[in-house]
Amino acid sequence: QVQLVESGGGSVQAGGSLRLSCAASGYTWKWNCMGWFRQAPGKEREWVTGIYVGNRMTYYADSVKGRFTISQDNAKSTAYLQMNSLKPEDTAMYYCAAGFRSPPVSPLTGADFHYWGQGTQVTVSS
C-alpha cells in the first residue's frame, strides 16, 4: 500500500512563490520515483516534474523549467516542489504521485506514475 498526502497549496500573486510537500508512506520497494502533476478545470492532467528516489535525478516539463524545483528529504519520506516566479497559468490542483521506471536513468514522463495523492490547490492571480 502506498499513501501520498500533499500540503502547502494556497493563493499567491503572479511572480510569487509556494512550496508544496508530499508525505509518502508504504513499502519503498513499490516505487522508485516520485513526482508532481497538475490539473486545471476543463483541462487534462499535466505532468510537471519527477525525481528518482535512489539517485535523485530530476526531470521537468518545459513549461516549468527554470522556475520549479523538485527535491526529497534524506529519509526519502517527503518530496517537495518549490515553485518560483508563478504565473496565472500555473493555477491548478497539484497532485503528488509515485511510480516506477527502469532503468532509473531514463527521463521520467507522466506515464511512469501510478499512485496518487488527493491534491492541493494552487491559485495564482494576475
Side-chain angles (χ1 to χ4, degrees), residues 21-50:
S21 298
C22 174
S25 62
Y27 292 100
T28 58
W29 55 263
K30 289 187 175 181
W31 75 91
N32 72 345
C33 59
M34 299 182 69
W36 294 89
F37 290 72
R38 65 187 182 186
Q39 187 170 27
K43 301 182 67 175
E44 64 183 17
R45 185 173 295 181
E46 175 190 21
W47 173 77
V48 176
T49 182

Side-chain angles (χ1 to χ4, degrees), residues 29-33 52 98-102 108 111-114:
W29 55 263
K30 289 187 175 181
W31 75 91
N32 72 345
C33 59
Y52 282 109
F100 188 88
R101 176 72 183 271
S102 181
L108 290 170
D112 300 315
F113 298 89
H114 303 95

Side-chain angles (χ1 to χ4, degrees), residues 45-107:
R45 185 173 295 181
E46 175 190 21
W47 173 77
V48 176
T49 182
I51 183 171
Y52 282 109
V53 299
N55 59 33
R56 301 194 181 190
M57 296 178 65
T58 60
Y59 305 88
Y60 299 91
D62 288 342
S63 59
V64 304
K65 284 182 179 178
R67 300 188 299 120
F68 291 11
T69 303
I70 188 171
S71 62
Q72 194 168 30
D73 66 3
N74 291 334
K76 301 180 181 180
S77 61
T78 305
Y80 304 95
L81 181 64
Q82 179 66 45
M83 304 184 292
N84 298 326
S85 301
L86 283 163
K87 305 175 181 179
E89 51 262 46
D90 295 318
T91 295
M93 184 72 73
Y94 282 71
Y95 298 91
C96 181
F100 188 88
R101 176 72 183 271
S102 181
V105 292
S106 302

